[in-house]
Amino acid sequence: MSIDWYNFTPWSALAGGALIGLAASLFVVMNGRVAGISGLIGSLLERGEGWGEKGLFLLGVLLAPLLWQLFCRLPEIQIDSGWLALTVAGLLVGVGTRYGAGCTSGHGVCGLSRLSPRSLAATLSFMAAGFVTVFVLRHLLGA
Amino acid sequence: MRKLMAFLAGVIFGIGLLTAGMANPAKVLGFLDLAGAWDPSLVLVMAAAIGVAFLPFSWARAQRSSLLGAPMQLPGKRELDRRLIGGSLLFGIGWGIAGICPGPAVAILLTGRWQVLLFVAAMLVGMVVFAALERRRG
């Protein structure tokens, strides 16, 4: 392992992380809800309760880049995957987050913040799977 | 008021993802690439997010209702089961393929990239398939 100092962005990472934590805090303290994106989307698809608040939270995330652009240029967004990889990845993320009852936000941020053992197990699982997948794709298959 | 808060929290969440670099799939893959040139930035994103959210969640766990009078809806399940681990592993594989997880997918959906539209469409199909399988399971 070698650290990629060139792309390492500690200050924006800390600032962005703090904002994510603030948003999750507001949502639970004010609305009593977990800011887990996959759960919110899944609940909307299945017409679960509280769709107004859930939909508005998602709308906020959706509109964030447009509001951002009113004030400054968007940060770099680089996607190198082709259509097949994106399709397979999207399907796996959709099915996986619903079976696993959460993603990076629900388990990784909210779940770990409330010391949930399920979220810790889930986070370790998807992190490990992510590390292994990138290793296989980049270093074994050379994709 | 609750609806306004939900929207505001969503906007802050999205701005946070963009600021943190989480919304850049190439950067996320740089974090997942332990064996290559590793970008540890996302460790700091998680640490800062949890650092900020820890006390509010500790408070919330002890409450029956939120400050705005909504019922406190925190998951109560504690068992680890095959669905949780299996689902999370599948999610991790998908995350490792494209470097996109659900939050950033929503946060960059309207930035005019066909790749994100395709990813989100496939993700929604995956979620609908899950819902259909759950209904059959009864």
Side-chain angles (χ1 to χ4, degrees), chain A residues 34-115:
Chain A
V34 169
I37 303 299
S38 59
L40 293 173
I41 300 174
S43 173
L44 284 188
L45 286 175
E46 292 163 36
R47 297 173 193 82
E49 61 76 45
W51 58 270
E53 284 173 48
K54 291 174 178 175
L56 279 164
F57 183 94
L58 288 174
L59 185 69
V61 182
L62 199 62
L63 295 183
L66 306 183
L67 292 171
W68 178 295
Q69 278 174 307
L70 294 179
F71 302 98
C72 44
R73 262 186 58 189
L74 277 180
E76 189 187 5
I77 300 169
Q78 187 191 337
I79 307 174
D80 300 319
S81 311
W83 66 270
L84 184 61
L86 288 163
T87 307
V88 173
L91 284 170
L92 286 171
V93 169
V95 172
T97 52
R98 296 303 286 144
Y99 270 106
C103 56
T104 342
S105 49
H107 283 313
V109 174
C110 299
L112 294 187
S113 293
R114 58 187 184 85
L115 305 175

Side-chain angles (χ1 to χ4, degrees), chain B residues 11 16 33 35 38 54 69 71 75-76 83 93-94 103 109 111 119-121 126 134:
Chain B
V11 170
D33 190 5
W38 187 52
F54 182 74
R83 287 166 66 93
I93 295 171
L109 186 63
T111 61
F119 177 91
V120 169
E134 285 298 282

Side-chain angles (χ1 to χ4, degrees), chain A residues 2 4 7 29-30 32 78 139, chain B residues 24 27 33 38 66-67 73:
Chain A
S2 61
D4 184 357
N7 284 311
V29 167
M30 296 298 177
Q78 187 191 337
H139 301 284
Chain B
N24 182 5
K27 188 170 181 68
D33 190 5
W38 187 52
S66 76
L67 280 187
Q73 302 188 50

